[in-house]
Amino acid sequence: PGMTITGVGTLALAAFLLCALGGGAGWLQLVFTTTLPGSIIPIYFSLVDAYIFFSISISPAFSFTLALMSISLNLFLDYLNNGKWQNVIFISLLAILSQTTNPIAFAVIDLAFVGAALFLWWKNKKIEMHQFYALAIIACAQIPLLVYNFHILERDPLWSQFTLQNQTLSPPPSYYAWGFAPFWLLAIYGMTFAYRDKNPIMAALSTWVISGFILAYLPLGIQRRFLLGITIPLGILAIYGLNHVIKQVSIRKPSILRYDRLIYFGYILLSSFSLINLWLGSSLYLRTLPEDKFYPRDLENALMWLDNNATPNDFVLGNIRTGQLVAQRTRLRTYVGHPMETLFFDDKLSSTE
């Protein structure tokens, strides 16, 4: 009970599985177009932070931020239902904590709060001032760290260089069309019912989706980061839409209700086909021991020796591949490593070639 996203039963389980495993139709794009716009193939590697499957696999920071975002949205929806101010305090703390690892990811959740409150006011035909004050408190709590992060990332000589290199621009719209193809139709259908039913929960999720894609095309260098975990709202909305489809069909054909679990399972399986295929295909490929995916055991021994014998102020000079291994396997600094995390990367890369 209560106004939260989570629940029990078939719908909650279906939404969870779709959010976690749902992918796109990039394999169909390759069939029909053979080449993709841009240079990243397959398509999913360009949208890696958008999929929960990849986000929790490759980055603890993504997992941490997604947990804070999801918990906060549930707490706010619960607040709209019970009016507990403890929720507002917890949300403010979680938002600040989120800013320490990802300064901008929480923006879509802030907008989702606003969407939920607006729909509730519209439904009740009344603006609840205590809810307005709650939104103001949550926003004000984030301002100090927001200003600090902006000042450091834009004004500091070193961090401003990092900001300049940290370019995660959105790909062409066709990437998003194919990358979330299994979600779109049912998710948009779910949004229409959210509007018709004046459902604050689905309104919050709809706001998350819409604002995420708007922010993803603003003239900023971090466009794609606003789509972190976007399959969460897309997946829930898609299951919400599919549930309405089943209900409408059952009016004329009641027997379909006996197969609702099979329908949800089939939809989830179809939606997750690309990512499962990519995961299995990559695993089978790695079993062939491709040379470019492994490094010699002698290099492992060398890294262990460096970690044990080098002084903390030493840094390792090597090519980019060696530099990335140094950062992973030792406590030492490397001259050149990850492109976004190495200041003046292009200059350093050319000096090591």
Side-chain angles (χ1 to χ4, degrees):
M3 191 183 296
T4 57
I5 297 172
T6 54
V8 296
T10 302
L11 289 180
L13 179 60
F16 171 79
L17 291 175
L18 184 59
C19 293
L21 301 175
W27 60 280
L28 279 176
Q29 186 181 22
L30 288 174
V31 170
F32 290 117
T33 65
T34 64
T35 59
L36 300 177
S39 59
I40 300 179
I41 295 177
I43 190 173
Y44 310 105
F45 293 155
S46 185
L47 311 177
V48 63
D49 36 4
Y51 301 113
I52 300 300
F53 181 87
F54 280 144
S55 293
I56 64 177
S57 299
I58 68 170
S59 174
F62 285 167
S63 303
F64 181 69
T65 304
L66 285 169
L68 297 178
M69 293 165 64
S70 301
I71 293 170
S72 297
L73 184 53
N74 267 285
L75 285 173
F76 186 78
L77 293 174
D78 186 57
Y79 163 76
L80 292 180
N81 183 65
N82 59 35
K84 291 182 179 179
W85 280 94
Q86 298 95 312
N87 287 21
V88 176
I89 302 303
F90 284 136
I91 292 169
S92 300
L93 293 174
L94 293 175
I96 294 171
L97 189 58
S98 175
Q99 287 179 297
T100 63
T101 57
N102 192 322
I104 55 90
F106 211 84
V108 291
I109 301 301
D110 288 326
L111 293 171
F113 295 160
V114 175
L118 289 176
F119 259 66
L120 188 60
W121 298 344
W122 178 37
K123 181 179 181 179
N124 297 334
K125 298 181 179 179
K126 179 184 178 182
I127 297 176
E128 298 287 352
M129 291 307 298
H130 71 93
Q131 295 170 358
F132 176 82
Y133 295 144
L135 289 171
I137 290 172
I138 294 170
C140 290
Q142 299 175 64
I143 291 176
L145 198 52
L146 179 66
V147 172
Y148 173 79
N149 281 328
F150 177 80
H151 176 76
I152 292 297
L153 293 175
E154 294 294 330
R155 304 298 182 187
D156 182 82
L158 296 180
W159 279 107
S160 60
Q161 178 63 32
F162 168 78
T163 302
L164 185 64
Q165 296 177 190
N166 188 24
Q167 299 290 316
T168 52
L169 301 177
S170 282
S174 60
Y175 266 58
Y176 292 137
W178 287 100
F180 304 111
F183 296 93
W184 284 125
L185 188 61
L186 288 172
I188 293 173
Y189 192 60
M191 288 182 192
T192 63
F193 275 93
Y195 179 82
R196 192 194 70 174
D197 299 339
K198 299 179 182 177
N199 186 324
I201 300 175
M202 297 303 156
L205 297 170
S206 300
T207 306
W208 182 349
V209 172
I210 294 170
S211 62
F213 281 99
I214 291 175
L215 291 170
Y217 279 105
L218 290 182
L220 300 170
I222 49 174
Q223 296 172 334
R224 205 176 67 240
R225 295 300 187 210
F226 289 108
L227 296 179
L228 175 65
I230 198 69
T231 54
I232 294 176
L234 280 174
I236 297 173
L237 286 166
I239 293 297
Y240 182 65
L242 181 56
N243 180 51
H244 277 284
V245 171
I246 294 174
K247 285 181 178 179
Q248 290 178 328
V249 174
S250 69
I251 296 174
R252 294 185 177 183
K253 193 174 181 180
S255 60
I256 194 175
L257 294 175
R258 298 201 302 266
Y259 304 102
D260 61 340
R261 294 187 179 184
L262 183 61
I263 294 172
Y264 291 127
F265 175 77
Y267 174 52
I268 294 167
L269 186 64
L270 177 64
S271 300
S272 60
F273 172 79
S274 287
L275 296 188
I276 292 174
N277 183 57
L278 182 61
W279 173 62
L280 289 175
S282 299
S283 299
L284 292 173
Y285 174 65
L286 289 175
R287 286 177 62 87
T288 66
L289 303 180
E291 185 176 346
D292 62 328
K293 301 299 181 184
F294 295 85
Y295 59 91
R297 188 177 299 275
D298 289 344
L299 183 55
E300 174 72 10
N301 295 333
L303 293 172
M304 292 174 60
W305 185 91
L306 282 172
D307 198 35
N308 292 328
N309 294 278
T311 64
N313 291 328
D314 291 337
F315 68 88
V316 180
L317 177 63
N319 62 27
I320 182 172
R321 189 179 180 193
T322 303
Q324 291 177 340
L325 290 171
V326 168
Q328 294 175 43
R329 306 295 294 175
T330 77
R331 55 185 170 77
L332 301 173
R333 294 179 297 168
T334 181
Y335 180 72
V336 59
H338 191 284
M340 291 183 184
E341 313 249 348
T342 303
L343 296 182
F344 309 105
F345 173 79
D346 291 335
D347 294 337
K348 291 182 177 179
L349 182 62
S350 62
S351 69
T352 60
E353 292 178 346

